[in-house]
């Protein structure tokens, strides 16, 4: 099979990005990559010396050289971390510019930048306007920490996201000492433009409309109503509220329309200057940088009288951006931006042969982005195919309005106010149009993440079959080459997929990391899913923001039932919120809570069936999987009413459960204290039942639980502490030491993230997986 190099930049970009991705996944050494690069270069030279007959081999080995070069570059970045990584938890003093200051409810977030690094810092002290200004140089003192990494399989990795933004470390600032007179001119100008425009727009429009306007112009969503943004997001139109390549394209078109002279060198430098300023105002978002560089390449090609090729320009931009920061490969904005360009460059020419209507571009982009959007965000919007046409049209009018308002904010308050009213009216129409197509969520639906083999297969086959090369092969009836290419895509899909596995894909029992709370996910051999407790927090929606993404990214659309030890927030809150999302069929609670049925129905949305349980019952969850209710025992209605009145004693009445998974047993103890443990251990009927292989340590490892006598009675091989950052002293060192003295293996969510248990066939043994080593 002959390989054509019509677009060598495209081959180079795929190879370079592939090497970066491979290095990140494999976690090998620079020495290995040097060896691979040496072998690839040697083979390439040998193939080149052989002449034309070895052209295909020369191309392949050249691609291998670029691939290994990308891998080696990435490995160098991985093995050369910020020196501050070794100072984690220590007090340090650093100096730098306040690149960006964001005021939040309980803190101020500052991005500190100097010639060596960028640091994301939080300041919880009193803040006055004169404390520090954006662009000002200051000395900062505080404790250094690593950003939080992925806590549950498949979920968001905040550390990797920050690394893709050029940030490796975080700081909790305790002291700020501004240096008078030392400022960054460019940072000060950018900050002044953003703040002046934003402040005046807020003064001129109601919060909902000003939030839309600020988000459209600068991509700053901090003032945007959360529910409103979610409507745009789930409708597939949120890209207009996060400055993207679309905005840069609109700005470029608007500037071209205003420029009446010859579009030569002067136009090129003027446009480049405007785009550079706008890119800075958008905080150098990857999609904005991508669009700005591609427009600069397009203008440069025109001035030099060279042919401009969309895919080649995208490939060159791809390489340049990754050369600046290879971790950008893992930034969702970077990925989606280049995926959109690939869809337009590959699918659009083919689609034009079938359809030439107004929805063409929207259909093409959605066809290219829908599976990956589902993979990243776990929803799909059918309304996006149509909604994007009027929404983008309105954006094409509103964004220029916003851009014009920027200089007016400095020139004339009256003209700014008039323009702001016009912008506000347009934003109101935009909200109405988006709401019409969203239809209160009718056009959007939650979906589980597609598998990695599916994604590779989908995009490999889609881009091959509709590409120019693929269509030529079909026209020439070269079915053998078509079959070979299809087989290669399939081989690639099932070869690369295992490299991304963490072991949790086959875990039967997962102790989910929900922070300071309990949650166990049980997968039965016949494909059913259950939750035992669900975490929760008064300050954070654990059900929507933690459990829902975890379940959808791990193939679970709805759980058969959730069983609660008790109704304290850190056990019940997540389930309550998950039930409102329609993801829980049944909720099992201790029978005493039947007294609270109206309240429970209201809190969970009224669509989830409640089942009431008590000691002595056993629930079959699936093939060879049972949940035994060990305690509390059944009581009278009067006793239940009295018990419910004593909310402070709810820990004592925690429902004690034993999960039997094939031959492995897990004891779930809720938040019982040592007195409750003594009652369990003293009950002759429960003596054998509380003995287990795995103990979910009571009350997050509190010193008031897990007595010596109870540990001896239970005699587990493995103890799991479901604990997160807290001010209660959990887990107690005393409890940990008790476990160590007995040779019990210890696993903790706060240090290991999620903990997975795979039960061997017939329960003969278990394999344990930690998300964080």
């Amino acid at each position: 099979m002959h390989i054509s190099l019509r677009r060598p930049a495209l081959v180079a970009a795929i190879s370079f990005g592939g090497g970066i991705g491979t290095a990140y996944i494999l976690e090998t050494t620079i020495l290995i990559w040097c060896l691979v690069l040496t072998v690839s270069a040697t083979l390439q030279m040998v193939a080149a010396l052989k002449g034309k007959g070895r052209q295909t081999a020369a191309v392949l080995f050249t691609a291998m050289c670029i691939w290994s070069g990308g891998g080696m570059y990435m490995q160098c970045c991985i093995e050369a971390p910020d020196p501050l990584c070794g100072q984690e938890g220590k007090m340090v003093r650093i100096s730098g510019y306040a690149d960006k200051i964001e005021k939040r409810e309980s803190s101020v977030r500052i991005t500190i930048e100097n010639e060596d690094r960028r640091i994301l810092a939080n300041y919880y002290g009193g803040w006055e306007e004169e404390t520090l200004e954006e662009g000002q140089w200051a000395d900062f003192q505080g404790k250094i920490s690593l950003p939080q990494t992925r806590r549950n399989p498949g979920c968001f990795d905040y550390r990797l996201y920050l690394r893709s933004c050029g940030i490796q470390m975080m700081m909790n600032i305790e002291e700020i000492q501004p240096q008078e007179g030392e400022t960054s001119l460019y940072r000060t100008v950018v900050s002044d433009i953003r703040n002046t425009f934003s402040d005046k727009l807020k003064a001129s429009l109601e919060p909902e409309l000003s939030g839309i306007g600020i988000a459209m112009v600068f991509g700053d969503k901090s003032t945007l109503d959360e529910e409103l943004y979610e409507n745009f997001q789930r409708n597939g139109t949120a890209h207009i509220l996060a400055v993207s390549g679309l905005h840069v394209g609109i700005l470029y078109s608007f500037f071209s329309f205003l420029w009446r002279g010859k579009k030569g060198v002067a136009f090129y430098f003027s446009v480049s200057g405007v785009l550079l300023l706008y890119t800075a105002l958008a905080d150098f978002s990857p999609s904005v940088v991508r669009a700005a560089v591609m427009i600069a390449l397009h203008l440069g090609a025109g001035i030099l009288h060279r042919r401009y090729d969309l895919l080649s320009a995208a490939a060159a931009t791809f390489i340049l951006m990754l050369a600046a920061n290879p971790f950008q490969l893992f930034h969702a904005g970077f990925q989606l931006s280049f995926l959109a360009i690939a869809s337009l460059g590959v699918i659009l020419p083919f689609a034009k042969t079938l359809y030439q209507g107004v929805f063409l571009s929207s259909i093409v982009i959605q066809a290219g982005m829908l599976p990956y959007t589902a993979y990243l965000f776990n929803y799909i919007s059918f309304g996006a195919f149509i909604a994007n046409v009027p929404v983008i049209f309105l954006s094409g009018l509103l964004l220029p309005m916003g851009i014009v308002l920027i200089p007016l904010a400095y020139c004339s308050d009256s003209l700014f106010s008039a323009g702001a009213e016009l912008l506000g009216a347009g934003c109101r129409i935009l909200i109405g149009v988006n709401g019409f197509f969203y239809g209160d969520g009718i056009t959007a639906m939650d979906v589980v993440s597609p598998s990695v083999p599916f994604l590779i297969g989908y995009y490999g086959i889609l881009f091959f079959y509709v590409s120019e090369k693929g269509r030529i092969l079909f026209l020439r009836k070269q079915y053998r080459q078509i079959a070979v290419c299809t087989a290669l895509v399939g081989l690639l899909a099932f070869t690369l997929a295992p490299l991304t596995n963490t072991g949790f894909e086959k875990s039967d029992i997962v102790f989910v990391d929900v922070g300071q709370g309990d949650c166990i996910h049980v997968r039965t051999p016949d494909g059913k899913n259950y939750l035992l407790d669900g975490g929760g927090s008064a300050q954070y929606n654990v059900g929507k923001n933690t459990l829902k993404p975890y379940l959808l990214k791990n193939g679970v659309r709805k759980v058969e039932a959730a069983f609660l030890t008790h109704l304290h927030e850190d056990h019940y809150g997540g389930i309550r919120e998950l039930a409102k999302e329609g993801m829980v069929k049944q909720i099992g609670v201790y029978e005493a809570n039947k007294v609270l049925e109206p309240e429970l129905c209201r809190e969970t949305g009224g669509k989830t069936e409640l089942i009431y349980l008590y000691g002595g019952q056993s629930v079959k969850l699936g093939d060879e999987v049972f949940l035994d209710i060990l305690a509390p025992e059944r009581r009278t209605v009067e006793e239940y009413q009295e018990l419910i009145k004593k909310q402070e004693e709810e820990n004592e009445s925690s429902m004690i459960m034993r999960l039997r998974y094939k031959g492995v047993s897990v004891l779930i103890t809720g938040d019982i204290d040592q007195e409750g443990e003594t009652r369990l251990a003293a009950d002759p009927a429960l003596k054998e039942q509380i003995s287990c292989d795995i103990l979910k340590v009571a009350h997050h490892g509190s010193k008031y639980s897990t007595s010596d006598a109870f540990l001896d009675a239970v005699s587990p091989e493995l103890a799991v502490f479901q604990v997160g950052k807290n001010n209660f002293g959990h887990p107690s060192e005393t409890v940990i030491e008790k476990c160590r003295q007995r040779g019990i293996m210890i696993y903790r969510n706060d240090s290991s993230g999620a903990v997975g248990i795979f039960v061997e066939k017939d329960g003969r043994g278990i394999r344990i997986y930690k998300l964080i080593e």
Side-chain angles (χ1 to χ4, degrees), residues 381-397:
S381 171
F382 299 105
F385 288 89
I386 301 174
N388 269 291
V389 174
V391 166
I392 290 174
F393 173 76
L394 286 170
S395 301
L397 300 176

Side-chain angles (χ1 to χ4, degrees), residues 169-188:
M169 302 299 295
M170 297 184 70
M171 170 187 272
N172 280 335
I173 299 174
E174 296 189 4
E175 182 184 351
I176 300 175
Q177 293 183 346
Q179 301 299 312
E180 297 296 333
E182 293 191 44
T183 58
S184 166
L185 178 61
Y186 122 76
R187 290 180 176 89
T188 303

Side-chain angles (χ1 to χ4, degrees), residues 3-18 58-64 66-67 311-312 315-316 318-319:
I3 295 180
S4 171
L5 272 186
R6 183 185 166 195
R7 291 189 175 101
L10 197 58
V11 175
I14 294 171
S15 303
F16 190 63
V59 171
L60 290 174
F61 292 136
T62 300
M64 281 184 62
I66 299 171
W67 172 79
L311 291 177
S312 295
F318 182 88
I319 294 171

Side-chain angles (χ1 to χ4, degrees), residues 499-512:
L499 296 178
T500 62
N501 290 346
T502 60
F504 283 86
E505 296 78 14
K506 55 184 179 182
S507 292
D508 302 305
I509 303 166
V510 179
F511 291 83
V512 184

Side-chain angles (χ1 to χ4, degrees), residues 82-215:
D82 191 316
L84 286 178
C85 290
Q87 302 294 313
E88 187 180 5
K90 297 179 180 179
M91 189 73 69
V92 301
R93 180 180 291 272
I94 61 171
S95 299
Y97 291 106
D99 187 52
K100 192 174 183 181
I101 300 175
E102 302 173 78
K103 298 179 182 67
R104 303 192 163 198
E105 288 185 11
S106 59
S107 66
V108 176
R109 175 161 286 185
I110 306 171
T111 305
I112 306 168
E113 184 170 0
N114 56 31
E115 63 275 6
D116 297 321
R117 60 178 62 89
R118 296 183 79 204
I119 290 180
L120 188 63
N122 291 301
Y123 180 68
Y124 296 94
W127 186 270
E128 303 293 338
E129 291 301 324
E130 62 272 13
T131 300
L132 189 68
E133 296 180 355
E134 288 186 340
Q136 189 172 5
W137 185 274
D139 295 327
F140 302 88
Q141 182 171 310
K143 285 187 177 180
I144 285 291
S145 63
L146 278 169
Q148 191 176 77
T149 187
R150 180 179 286 116
R151 309 296 304 179
N152 289 304
C155 295
F156 183 61
D157 189 335
Y158 188 52
R159 184 181 300 175
L160 182 59
Y161 165 75
L162 287 182
R163 194 74 192 270
S164 72
C165 299
I167 297 171
Q168 289 193 53
M169 302 299 295
M170 297 184 70
M171 170 187 272
N172 280 335
I173 299 174
E174 296 189 4
E175 182 184 351
I176 300 175
Q177 293 183 346
Q179 301 299 312
E180 297 296 333
E182 293 191 44
T183 58
S184 166
L185 178 61
Y186 122 76
R187 290 180 176 89
T188 303
V189 170
V190 168
S191 170
D192 187 68
I193 292 173
R194 273 198 301 239
N195 294 336
T196 301
F197 174 87
S198 299
D199 291 344
K200 291 197 172 185
L201 198 64
K202 290 176 191 175
S204 302
L205 300 175
E206 58 189 81
E208 185 178 69
L209 301 180
S210 64
I212 289 284
I214 294 169

Side-chain angles (χ1 to χ4, degrees), residues 507-512 519-523 528-533 550-551 554 556 559 659:
S507 292
D508 302 305
I509 303 166
V510 179
F511 291 83
V512 184
C519 181
I520 302 173
H521 173 209
V522 180
R523 296 187 183 104
K528 295 178 181 178
N529 292 273
Y530 298 89
L531 292 176
L532 312 180
D533 281 338
Y550 161 75
L551 292 169
N554 288 277
V556 183
V559 295
L659 175 69

